[in-house]
Amino acid sequence: MKTLYIIGNGFDVMHGIPSKYSDFADYCKLNEQKLFNAMNQEFPGLIENRENLWSNFELELGNPDIPFLVRKAKEIGLEKVENMQEEVCVDHFTLSMAFSDWISKLSSLIHRENFPLQFVLPEEACYLTFNYTLTLEHVYGVTHVYHIHSQYNPNNREFSDYIWGHNKSDEELNADFAKYGASVVEADIHTLRDDISAWRKSYDKGNEVLYKLLAENDGVAQIIVLGHSMSEVDYMYFKEINEKYPAAHWNICYHDETDLCNKRKSAVLLGLADKVRFIAI
C-alpha cells in the first residue's frame, strides 16, 4: 500500500524548530523594525491576536487596511502613486528578502543531532511538503520529497523564490475596495488594487511540482496529512490530489480541538468526509 505524506509547518514545529509565522514576525521586529511596523499598519489583521502574532500571515495579505491605503494615496498625489510600494505599501522586495534571510538562518540549525526524531517515516513513501526547510532530508534522511512551495537553497542565501500569499481574485479585491467607496476605475485606486494583487500566491510553480508528484506516483492508497493546517489558500492542491487518488483513505492529524474543528470543515469542503480519519498527535 503506497502512502503519500502531506507535510506542513506544524511538522517542523513539533520538532522544536521555530518556523511559525509568529517566529518570522519576531525576527522582523528584531531585525527589520521599519518593515515590521509597516506590515502591522497595512495589514492590521496580523496583530488582532497578540498571543499568536501573524498567525494568519498568508490570508491577511489579502485583507489590507483599505481606508488607510486610500487615504495615503490621496495624500501623496497621483504622480507618486505609480511607485506605490515605496510610497504607500509594504515593499514586496524587502519583505521577500527578509523572509529569505530568516529561512536561511533557520535552515542552518536543522541537522539530525539538533532535532531528535518524532516519527517513523518510511523511505518507500512519497512526501509532498509545503515547508521551505529540509527537515525531511536532513533529519529523517528520506529522499522521495517534493517541495511544492520551493525549498531552502544552501548555495544561494539570497534565494527569494518562496511561494506564499493570499488567494483572493481581483474581483474579490475590487469588491473590498468598493465597500469603502473606492472604485478601481480611478487610476490611483487601480494601482493600489494591483499592488495587493501582487501578494497573491502563485500556483503555477506549485502546480508544476504537484503534477510531477502525481505523474510519478500511481497507486497511492493512503494519504497522511501531518502538520498542515489545510488552510483555504491550499485547497486547490488538496482537490487535485483527491481527484488523482479518489479511492485513497485519508488520515488527517490534529493537535487540539480548534484544529480538529477547522480540519473537519476543510474535509467536508474538499469532499473527503466519507474517507477520512482524524488522529490526535
Side-chain angles (χ1 to χ4, degrees):
M1 181 173 66
K2 191 161 190 176
T3 301
L4 165 64
Y5 283 80
I6 301 176
I7 302 292
N9 188 47
F11 179 80
D12 277 8
V13 173
M14 282 183 276
H15 289 75
I17 299 171
S19 57
K20 294 184 291 187
Y21 281 125
S22 58
D23 296 310
F24 176 49
D26 291 338
Y27 171 83
C28 289
K29 187 174 183 179
L30 183 63
N31 299 280
E32 299 281 352
Q33 185 68 56
K34 183 178 179 181
L35 172 63
F36 178 81
N37 292 338
M39 286 292 295
N40 291 338
Q41 188 171 31
E42 183 174 340
F43 304 101
L46 293 174
I47 56 173
E48 287 181 356
N49 184 353
R50 288 285 180 177
E51 293 182 358
N52 202 3
L53 190 68
W54 290 19
S55 59
N56 295 314
F57 178 74
E58 290 190 278
L59 290 174
E60 290 304 326
L61 289 177
N63 297 304
D65 185 340
I66 292 175
F68 164 75
L69 294 179
V70 171
R71 186 171 64 253
K72 287 281 289 183
K74 298 298 184 183
E75 287 175 359
I76 67 173
L78 180 60
E79 70 279 0
K80 291 185 180 180
V81 170
E82 291 183 1
N83 195 8
M84 191 62 62
Q85 292 179 359
E86 182 177 326
E87 296 288 345
V88 177
C89 302
V90 172
D91 187 320
H92 292 220
F93 178 77
T94 300
L95 180 58
S96 294
M97 292 311 299
F99 194 82
S100 295
D101 192 51
W102 174 63
I103 292 294
S104 177
K105 289 179 170 57
L106 185 67
S107 297
S108 66
L109 304 173
I110 300 175
H111 303 285
R112 178 171 294 181
E113 57 270 23
N114 293 340
F115 299 101
L117 303 183
Q118 301 293 325
F119 304 97
V120 176
L121 298 182
E123 174 61 33
E124 63 273 15
C126 55
Y127 298 85
L128 179 67
T129 178
F130 286 73
N131 298 345
Y132 312 106
T133 55
L134 303 177
T135 308
L136 287 168
E137 296 91 336
H138 289 177
V139 177
Y140 284 87
V142 295
T143 57
H144 204 183
V145 182
Y146 300 81
H147 285 264
I148 197 166
H149 285 168
S150 197
Q151 67 192 72
Y152 169 63
N153 183 347
N155 297 317
N156 184 0
R157 293 177 63 86
E158 294 186 352
F159 178 75
S160 60
D161 201 22
Y162 300 116
I163 300 174
W164 39 269
H166 65 79
N167 64 339
K168 279 192 174 180
S169 66
D170 283 349
E171 290 72 22
E172 289 174 304
L173 292 175
N174 290 349
D176 289 343
F177 276 91
K179 290 178 185 176
Y180 298 97
S183 172
V184 293
V185 174
E186 300 176 53
D188 52 350
I189 304 303
H190 185 82
T191 303
L192 281 173
R193 196 285 313 276
D194 285 351
D195 192 85
I196 301 305
S197 295
W199 292 112
R200 186 181 297 125
K201 178 176 284 189
S202 171
Y203 290 98
D204 292 342
K205 292 181 180 178
N207 281 334
E208 287 180 14
V209 175
L210 178 61
Y211 295 151
K212 185 174 188 293
L213 179 149
L214 299 180
E216 294 177 350
N217 297 276
D218 290 324
V220 168
Q222 178 178 229
I223 299 170
I224 299 175
V225 180
L226 183 55
H228 195 292
S229 66
M230 299 183 71
S231 170
E232 65 183 69
V233 295
D234 292 323
Y235 276 3
M236 182 185 299
Y237 300 131
F238 281 87
K239 289 177 180 178
E240 292 277 358
I241 293 169
N242 188 35
E243 289 179 9
K244 171 67 176 181
Y245 309 117
H249 184 79
W250 290 66
N251 295 290
I252 299 176
C253 301
Y254 68 94
H255 62 86
D256 59 26
E257 288 302 313
T258 299
D259 191 36
L260 174 60
C261 181
N262 291 336
K263 285 176 177 173
R264 279 177 170 162
K265 291 178 182 177
S266 295
V268 171
L269 291 172
L270 292 168
L272 307 177
D274 60 342
K275 52 185 176 182
V276 64
R277 179 177 62 158
F278 295 96
I279 302 172
I281 56 173

